């Protein structure tokens, strides 16, 4: 995996093209997941993050290799952006031994400890306290590492959010809390679940540094995330990073979105697709774009092939990994 | 052998682990200057400093969850939850997070976290400060559950729990903190899953936990006056459970009473009764008797509280019921 230049200055076109490629990989991977789910090949409950790719890529590119993340039920993008190979991710979605969680987790519980993914959590807000604890461990051991949690706007209503941010700020641990505000908690729009509009006020109430970013602009996300992680890494305390973003599809695959005007989705797809926005900025020629598409289609198709040829666990393997020896 | 209190034994185990190992630290409410609401951590702040003896906000979810994260990041945290009634506030973190990360990750992670808590009635705190909730946790794969009844056991088991690579919920009984007992000069870790026969007997096995171990020993002494020989078996850890030790004791005595302070209905005793009928049915001369609290919240007024929770005489009555039956039922 190519490495972005770790700078908060303007990024070179080459680096931005790497970002674009990664976002395209996430997009095409998730479209393939939707397709295979509808074909009846994928068990379980799947949530795609189509429209939110710039947050995953911008944030994860600002992290160092040994920084860690905790993710959410909408975790495919974060997982790929943190370095998990599409093969290992797809194999997990097919429930194979070669999967990144060895078939024990599934889409909502993606882990890749070697790549710093400490787990996607299917309990909203459930992973936030552990990020505080991991950051505390780094602080106690004097390691210059950052622990980062992704979560949605809906999670800012749950107790773990408030308790975790309070403790993180109190102890000044190197944690970053990335709120992906896609304006819906499952089906419930912001005005039915949030009494305030500006969610940074929730972090500021704890005395925490808060930043807001256009989550559809990957360069801005990257630069702000780098500022946030540097702040935390240098011992200046945790940061709340609010990324305003948009989910261009339903809460889960198959969600008819009866709660959302069709016009809203059409308009967002027209104006807020992070891939379109970056491609327009970069002015990528058609032949270059087509080559990128071909390369990614091959990678994604290859991941399906890999997953289908993967090893099924033995049923009785269900009783392994409950306890460490 | 030196004699120390149960409270000192808990402190000894933690302090010794913290002296040996920089990865061990403790966090909880009022544990630093105050030394814990039960006085268990007294003096530890002075020895280890505020980074390793961390006072926390009243924030059970975050404290347990931070313990989970620190454990996954390579530390061996000890979390103190002041009253086990308050573990209910951290249930999500214990049940969905601590217990599941290893499993959901397919074995990539381990969570060497020890959550200590205490409870127990007999001092009229009412309904929210003395419950015995250990059975809730025994139902959760991925957790270990320990409930020692003597200074020696609490020291050896806590020391071992801190070094276990799994999340351990460690129950202490409030009314036992002051009891004294002999302990080895050096800490001897006790493996989880090994019961202890406190007293050998021939006629009936009393399987007891926590305070009820002591009630059972008193009942056994009384029963002896009537010529009844009682064996008292303390499993010490509920998960893993020393099934072999328990079953072989019942096979020897042919009768079983199970006694705990927690509510009888759906309690740990129900599992013991099921286990005994599955593995020793043909050896039984009487139905398994269960002793525990009545199905009620804990009341405030002392006379009502005493009515709800079990005592020595309840254990004795159960012993007599079992031996009162002959082998033909």
């Amino acid at each position: 995996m190519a490495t972005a230049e770790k700078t908060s200055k303007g990024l070179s076109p080459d680096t931005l093209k790497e970002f674009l490629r990664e976002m395209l990989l996430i997009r095409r991977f998730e479209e393939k997941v939707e397709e295979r789910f509808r074909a009846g090949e994928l068990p379980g409950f799947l949530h795609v993050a189509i429209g939110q790719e710039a947050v995953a890529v911008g944030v994860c590119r600002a992290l160092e290799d040994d920084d860690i993340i905790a993710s959410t039920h909408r975790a495919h993008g974060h997982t790929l952006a943190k370095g998990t190979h599409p093969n290992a991710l797809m194999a997990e979605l097919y429930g194979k031994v070669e999967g990144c969680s060895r078939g024990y987790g599934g889409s909502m519980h993606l882990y890749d400890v070697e790549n710093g993914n400490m787990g996607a959590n299917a309990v909203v807000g459930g992973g936030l306290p552990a990020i505080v604890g991991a950051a505390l461990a780094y602080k106690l051991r004097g390691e210059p590492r950052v622990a980062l949690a992704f979560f949605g706007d809906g999670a800012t209503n749950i107790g773990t959010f408030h308790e975790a941010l309070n403790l993180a700020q109190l102890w000044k641990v190197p944690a970053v809390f990335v709120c992906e505000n896609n304006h819906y908690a499952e089906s419930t729009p912001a005005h039915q679940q949030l009494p305030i509009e500006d969610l940074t006020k929730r972090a500021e109430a704890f005395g925490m540094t808060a930043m807001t970013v256009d989550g559809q602009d990957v360069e801005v996300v990257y630069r702000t995330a780098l500022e946030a992680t540097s702040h935390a890494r240098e011992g200046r305390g945790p940061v709340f990073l609010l990324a305003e973003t948009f989910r261009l599809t339903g809460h889960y695959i198959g969600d008819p979105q009866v709660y959302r005007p069709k016009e809203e989705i059409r308009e967002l797809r027209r104006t807020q697709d992070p891939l379109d926005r970056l491609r327009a900025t970069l002015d990528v020629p058609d032949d270059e774009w087509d080559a990128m598409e071909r390369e990614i289609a091959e990678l994604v198709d290859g991941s399906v092939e890999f997953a289908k040829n993967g090893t099924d666990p033995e049923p009785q393997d269900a009783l392994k990994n409950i306890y460490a020896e | 052998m030196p004699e120390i209190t149960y409270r000192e034994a808990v402190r000894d185990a933690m302090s010794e682990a913290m002296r040996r190992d920089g990865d061990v630290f403790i966090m909880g409410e009022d544990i630093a200057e105050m030394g814990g609401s039960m006085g268990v951590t007294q003096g530890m702040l002075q020895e280890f400093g505020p980074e390793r003896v961390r006072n926390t906000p009243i924030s059970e979810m975050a404290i347990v969850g931070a313990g989970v994260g620190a454990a996954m990041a390579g530390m061996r945290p000890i979390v103190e939850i002041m009253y086990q009634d308050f573990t209910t506030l951290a249930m999500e973190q214990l049940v969905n997070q601590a217990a599941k990360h290893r499993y959901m990750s397919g074995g990539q992670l381990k969570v060497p976290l020890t959550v200590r808590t205490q409870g127990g009635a007999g001092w009229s705190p009412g309904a929210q400060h003395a419950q015995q909730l250990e059975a809730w946790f025994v139902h959760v794969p991925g957790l270990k559950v320990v409930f020692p009844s003597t200074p020696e056991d609490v020291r050896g088991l806590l020391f071992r729990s801190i070094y276990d690579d799994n999340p351990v919920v460690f129950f202490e009984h409030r009314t036992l903190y002051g009891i004294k007992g002999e302990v080895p000069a050096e800490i001897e870790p006790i493996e989880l899953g090994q019961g202890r026969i406190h007293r050998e007997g021939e006629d009936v096995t009393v399987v007891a936990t926590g305070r009820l171990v002591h009630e059972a020993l008193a009942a056994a002494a009384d029963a002896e006056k009537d010529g009844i020989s009682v064996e008292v078996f303390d499993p010490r850890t509920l998960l893993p459970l020393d099934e072999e030790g328990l079953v072989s004791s019942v096979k020897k005595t042919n009768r079983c009473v199970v006694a705990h302070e927690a509510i009888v209905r759906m309690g740990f005793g129900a599992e013991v009764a099921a286990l005994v009928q599955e593995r020793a049915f043909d050896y039984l001369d009487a139905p398994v008797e269960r002793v525990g609290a009545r199905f009620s919240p804990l009341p405030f007024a002392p006379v009502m509280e005493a009515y709800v929770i079990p005592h020595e005489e309840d254990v004795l009555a159960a012993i007599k019921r079992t031996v009162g039956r002959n082998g033909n039922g």
Side-chain angles (χ1 to χ4, degrees), chain A residues 207-247:
Chain A
M208 192 179 290
T209 299
M211 303 172 182
T212 305
V213 69
D214 175 357
Q216 306 309 90
D217 182 335
V218 71
E219 183 174 3
V220 170
V221 172
Y222 169 79
R223 286 161 60 177
T224 313
L226 194 59
E227 205 184 316
T229 53
S230 303
H231 184 98
R233 202 183 306 283
E234 289 158 13
R236 288 186 282 152
V239 179
F240 178 78
L241 176 57
L242 177 65
E244 298 290 347
T245 186
F246 300 98
R247 203 180 72 202

Side-chain angles (χ1 to χ4, degrees), chain A residues 146-168:
Chain A
V146 171
L148 181 144
F150 288 103
F151 53 93
D153 44 312
T156 69
N157 287 321
I158 204 161
T160 42
F161 168 83
H162 296 272
E163 291 199 16
L165 264 68
N166 183 60
L167 196 62

Side-chain angles (χ1 to χ4, degrees), chain A residues 100 111 121 141 163 318 323-324, chain B residues 59 73 97 101 103 108 143 166:
Chain A
C100 61
Y111 290 76
N121 222 293
R141 295 198 298 251
E163 291 199 16
Y323 293 98
Chain B
S59 198
Q97 311 296 333
H101 276 299
Y103 192 77
Q108 293 173 76
L143 296 180
N166 298 284

Side-chain angles (χ1 to χ4, degrees), chain A residues 121-144:
Chain A
N121 222 293
V123 178
V124 170
L128 271 65
I131 283 299
V132 180
L136 172 65
Y138 302 152
K139 186 181 175 185
L140 288 173
R141 295 198 298 251
E143 297 170 358

Side-chain angles (χ1 to χ4, degrees), chain B residues 148-223:
Chain B
S149 65
T150 69
E152 181 184 359
D153 288 351
V154 83
R155 195 173 72 157
L157 284 164
L158 179 55
F159 191 81
R160 184 65 190 80
S161 296
I162 292 167
Y163 285 96
D164 198 290
D165 280 338
N166 298 284
V168 177
V169 186
F170 195 93
F171 289 94
E172 296 156 19
H173 197 286
R174 181 192 171 107
T175 65
L176 299 181
Y177 279 126
I179 66 164
K180 285 188 167 180
E182 289 191 340
V183 295
E186 297 290 317
I187 292 181
E188 289 173 10
I190 299 169
E191 290 303 311
L192 308 192
Q194 292 179 1
R196 171 173 179 166
I197 294 171
H198 278 278
R199 174 196 171 104
E200 294 200 22
E202 301 299 325
D203 299 325
V204 54
T205 298
V206 179
V207 179
T209 59
R211 176 177 66 85
L212 267 291
V213 172
H214 302 275
E215 304 290 315
L217 286 168
D222 272 355

Side-chain angles (χ1 to χ4, degrees), chain B residues 28-51:
Chain B
E29 297 156 11
D30 302 307
I31 64 162
E33 285 82 358
M34 182 175 157
S37 67
M38 297 297 133
V40 171
T41 54
Q42 256 168 29
M44 291 180 69
L45 173 68
Q46 289 74 9
E47 181 173 357
F48 300 105
E51 289 290 301

